[in-house]
Amino acid sequence: MKAVCWHGVEDMRVDRVPDPEIINPRDAIVRITSTAICGSDLHLYGGKVPTMKKGDIMGHEFMGVVEEVGRGVSNLKAGDRVVVPFGIACGNCWYCRHDLWSLCDNSNPNAAMLEGIAGYGGSALFGYSHMYGGYAGGQAEYVRVPFADVGPLKVDQGIDDDKLLFLTDILPTGYQAAEQCGIRPGDTVAVWGCGPVGQFAIQSALLLGAERVIAIDRFPDRIAMARDVSGAEVINYETDTDDLVETLKQKTGGRGPDHVIDAVGMEAHGHDVLSQLEKGKQYLKLQLDRATALRQAIQACGKGGTVSIPGVYAGFIDKFPMGQAFGKGLTFKMGQTNTQKYLRPLYEHIVRGDIDPSRIITHRCALDDAPGMYKTFQEKQDDCIKVVLKP
Ligand SMILES: [Zn+2]
Ligand SMILES: [Zn+2]
């Protein structure tokens, strides 16, 4: 089959590789009908994630049709259309049974490798390095799905792939970010980053009853989408303000937003001295994360508010305003998404027409075009926000 394979820093290739096969009784083989490139794939593309090997198959956002199931899978059969969550989870461990699927203790055969590098053992992810399990991803014609009896959601034939595909990651990720704010009627939520997760965090916050969402970015196309598609008030932090934290306070009666969402993560962009310092430290490998967005979010957040972090962080952060967070009585919520928990409720929102996730797609192309699209997406050329590949 054809698959998008990692060959090194900024070197993706479409290779011919062997078709996947059932290995365990709880496996399914899925023929991919749609797959997407995720912002977090760019960390792999840029060589930021250790334990990648030449030839690793990329992709953790995919859906398709079941071709074959192992003898332990009784809820799916060949021909079923399924959406597959990006995190792999067993469904039986303490974490899975408590709906904390992203913390599954059984799915990652290389958990010890992750523990050695990151200090904790975590669940596996599709197509996301060997420390996250070394599972082949879904930017391919076929994929092996482990724990297929508990992960994939069976979906109706009548709804377009483009509307359902983002159930695999970015829609639940944006939704979880908004849900964990504990939004009350009348609340204002500020969202840093208008990439795909930011867009769905905005839409979810409004769905959950926020009165206002203020979105922050610097790219005009993303800001326009946040305003016109997702329904946020917007701030371009490069052209609309000299002091973002102060502007946010002014817009919220001096109190600051009730909740803040950092949908930027570890590769934040910024102009201040601290941002430049962090860039240097990151270059010298003294610090993994650049935390400009997170710092601003903590500083802007109103007293008693929630700091929700769907953006990915990987290491230690210096100059973290802990005193301010403590003094304002902030609540922090973060982590990988418990996708399995949100699949069905969000699917029902899509069926009812409450959310149309396909509106964020800017590029559709064939699997063969993936290497070029990685570059376009990385460099944010051509107003690229979300790429869908059709094998
Ligand atoms: Zn993703
Ligand atoms: Zn588990």
Side-chain angles (χ1 to χ4, degrees), residues 38-41 60-61 86 169-170 386:
C38 178
S40 60
D41 288 332
H60 59 266
E61 300 181 355
F86 76 98
D169 176 0
I170 53 175
K386 192 68 187 179

Side-chain angles (χ1 to χ4, degrees), residues 89-97 101 103-107:
C90 77
N92 291 329
C93 73
W94 190 93
Y95 296 100
C96 287
R97 281 187 281 110
W101 300 81
L103 305 177
C104 175
D105 255 347
N106 283 333
S107 61

Side-chain angles (χ1 to χ4, degrees), residues 28-55:
I29 302 296
V30 172
R31 177 173 57 81
I32 307 292
T33 53
S34 293
T35 174
I37 302 177
C38 178
S40 60
D41 288 332
L42 296 179
H43 300 311
L44 304 177
Y45 181 66
K48 303 258 170 30
V49 181
T51 75
M52 287 295 286
K53 290 183 189 162
K54 274 184 194 298

Side-chain angles (χ1 to χ4, degrees), residues 13 22 41 43 46 64 67 87 94 112 124 140 159 205 216 279 281 297 313 319 348 352 370:
R13 299 178 201 169
I22 300 275
D41 288 332
H43 300 311
E67 284 278 311
W94 190 93
I159 305 169
I216 301 139
K279 224 172 178 167
K281 281 187 182 174
Y313 288 90
K319 304 279 184 295
E348 282 162 12
R352 281 201 300 270

Side-chain angles (χ1 to χ4, degrees), residues 90-258:
C90 77
N92 291 329
C93 73
W94 190 93
Y95 296 100
C96 287
R97 281 187 281 110
H98 289 78
D99 245 355
L100 298 166
W101 300 81
S102 71
L103 305 177
C104 175
D105 255 347
N106 283 333
S107 61
N108 185 353
N110 300 331
M113 195 190 281
L114 182 60
E115 192 160 358
I117 291 168
Y120 67 94
S123 73
L125 310 172
F126 283 102
Y128 214 84
S129 84
H130 289 265
M131 68 181 183
Y132 288 110
Y135 290 96
Q139 286 171 13
E141 289 178 302
Y142 297 90
V143 69
R144 177 175 76 94
V145 177
F147 305 113
D149 54 331
V150 293
L153 175 77
K154 211 163 113 175
V155 294
D156 282 344
Q157 304 291 347
I159 305 169
D160 227 35
D161 274 22
D162 287 355
K163 289 196 175 175
L164 300 174
L165 177 59
F166 303 141
L167 282 168
T168 57
D169 176 0
I170 53 175
L171 176 58
T173 297
Y175 187 86
Q176 177 175 293
E179 188 197 58
Q180 63 196 9
C181 289
I183 295 166
R184 303 150 297 196
D187 279 355
T188 298
V189 180
V191 178
W192 273 252
C194 297
V197 169
Q199 301 291 341
F200 289 137
I202 296 165
Q203 295 176 30
S204 301
L206 292 168
L207 194 70
L208 289 165
E211 187 166 309
R212 297 168 69 198
V213 178
I214 304 171
I216 301 139
D217 206 299
R218 68 185 168 118
F219 293 100
D221 54 314
R222 292 175 180 230
I223 289 172
M225 184 182 278
R227 183 187 57 225
D228 303 335
V229 174
S230 298
E233 297 170 40
V234 293
I235 300 174
N236 183 327
Y237 68 82
E238 286 198 328
T239 58
D240 297 344
T241 173
D242 292 325
D243 185 340
L244 176 63
V245 170
E246 196 48 43
T247 300
L248 282 164
K249 286 186 178 161
Q250 278 168 14
K251 282 180 177 289
T252 50
R255 289 206 341 241
D258 298 295

